[in-house]
Amino acid sequence: LVPAPAAAAPPRAPPAETASSYADADERAWRSPKFWAAAHAELALADDPRLARVRAFCERLRTAPRGERVTLPSGQELLSQHRFPFGDADERSRVARPAFAPGSAAAGWLATLPATARVARAELDALLAAEPPHADHASARVRPDAATDFRSSWNRMAWTGSQFAPLRSARDAMSATIAALEAADVPCGPRYVGVSRQAPSSRGDAHSDHRNYLLSVLTPLVVPPPRAPPRDDGGDNGDSGDGGETARAGRCGIVAAGEDVVFEEFAPVVLDNTFRHQVYNDSPTHARYVLLAEVWHPSLTPAERRAMSTLFAMKDLFVALELKCPPFGFSDTALEEAVESGDCLRLDFWRELGAT
């Protein structure tokens, strides 16, 4: 699957740091016979009876039309290619399931996140000092690659005002946060694990993440102070008579499936991100920061979770070393260091947050 260390070359950034460029590289892996030959050998997919659903999922990745969407009776929106076959009974049980606090809310690791968030909050100050976020743009929408420094840990995301620093890119500044997540056995998934920034006076696009094998856990690190509404007599508190809009000013949170959850510092929010959701920051002056971790869905068995983790690690390794494209979550600096040390040839480098 990979060349010898001497033949490895640093992956180059794609022409535009956009969601589509990363998805294009992933798609080339999913359609590659060479990739699947290696994946089947590594995972023993043909031999392990515990991995029947993973085999079916891999077949969907390999053959399903890219971009084809399906909406479940619950309102969840999925990509056919990324629909894990949990089964009809499981999916029927989700019709009345809320978008927030699904299944994993009782997981033991969830109780550790407030303490981990306090560690991350302290390390965030150092990260911001060493690597300030990119400048916010006033336009309604800006290309994510505009004036992007590919050596920075910060990535502009799909909508104006959103930036993300993956822990894999910021591991030097956020090492204690990574250690805390790993010590608590938080079941981090393959995509978004890092710090999410939302600019003042901004709202994200309402969207689904389309992957039913993952949940999002958002633990606020910096929450803008609320702005008091005016008093009845025209002062600075009380009912403004505007339906509560003034009282909302300064709040930040997330709306999903018609439910609005306001962020509170260090209080984790578990979201089934296959429901359409929208983050907002109504503060006119302060950015908000959350520790965002996509985690494996609790309906996956331990064997399935291990196999899925290996599958996506192999995909990132293939994209980097065979296709010479940077997988999402790694800055050029992090990838160059991994190539120079030879760490990029170890599967654990792509599988673990703090692999060095």
Side-chain angles (χ1 to χ4, degrees), residues 68-323:
E68 180 181 79
R69 299 186 182 187
V70 60
T71 300
L72 303 185
S74 59
Q76 295 165 276
E77 299 177 7
L78 308 178
L79 287 172
S80 295
Q81 192 179 19
H82 283 271
R83 183 180 184 180
F84 192 88
F86 285 120
D88 291 341
D90 181 80
E91 290 190 344
R92 280 198 303 271
S93 72
R94 299 179 186 202
V95 172
R97 189 165 57 109
F100 292 104
S104 70
W109 54 262
L110 193 64
T112 70
L113 289 183
T116 298
R118 287 177 169 82
V119 173
R121 176 66 183 86
E123 291 191 315
L124 176 61
D125 288 337
L127 174 63
L128 293 174
E131 294 190 77
H134 303 294
D136 292 319
H137 291 259
S139 60
R141 182 172 292 275
V142 62
R143 284 173 56 88
D145 59 311
T148 291
D149 175 7
F150 287 96
R151 305 188 71 83
S152 171
S153 296
W154 292 100
N155 297 264
R156 284 196 178 94
M157 305 306 286
W159 45 269
T160 301
S162 175
Q163 296 186 46
F164 185 72
L167 293 189
R168 287 186 171 98
S169 289
R171 65 178 186 269
D172 291 340
M174 305 291 289
S175 59
T177 302
I178 292 172
L181 291 170
E182 292 179 337
D185 199 24
V186 177
C188 294
R191 298 199 311 159
Y192 296 108
V193 184
V195 177
S196 171
R197 176 186 185 272
Q198 184 169 8
S201 300
S202 66
R203 287 180 171 257
D205 296 336
H207 69 286
S208 163
D209 289 351
H210 300 120
R211 291 156 171 81
N212 66 338
Y213 48 88
L214 296 169
L215 302 174
S216 289
V217 184
L218 304 93
T219 308
L221 305 179
V222 177
V223 176
R227 199 171 76 189
R231 297 196 308 260
D232 290 338
D233 61 1
D236 61 1
N237 58 29
D239 183 5
S240 65
D242 62 1
E245 288 302 310
T246 303
R248 286 182 56 91
R251 296 198 314 177
C252 63
I254 184 168
V255 177
E259 184 177 356
D260 185 352
V261 172
V262 177
F263 286 149
E264 299 178 14
E265 194 174 64
F266 307 141
V269 174
V270 181
L271 169 72
D272 185 330
N273 57 30
T274 60
F275 289 93
R276 289 180 67 82
H277 55 279
Q278 180 184 44
V279 291
Y280 63 88
N281 179 12
D282 289 338
S283 170
T285 55
H286 292 73
R288 76 97 173 102
Y289 294 85
V290 302
L291 180 63
L292 170 62
E294 278 192 334
V295 299
W296 297 111
H297 197 284
S299 294
L300 294 169
T301 67
E304 288 172 338
R305 197 173 85 184
R306 286 192 297 272
M308 294 284 280
S309 177
T310 298
L311 174 68
F312 282 91
M314 293 186 71
K315 183 267 297 178
D316 283 349
L317 185 153
F318 185 87
V319 165
L321 299 186
E322 290 286 334
L323 304 183

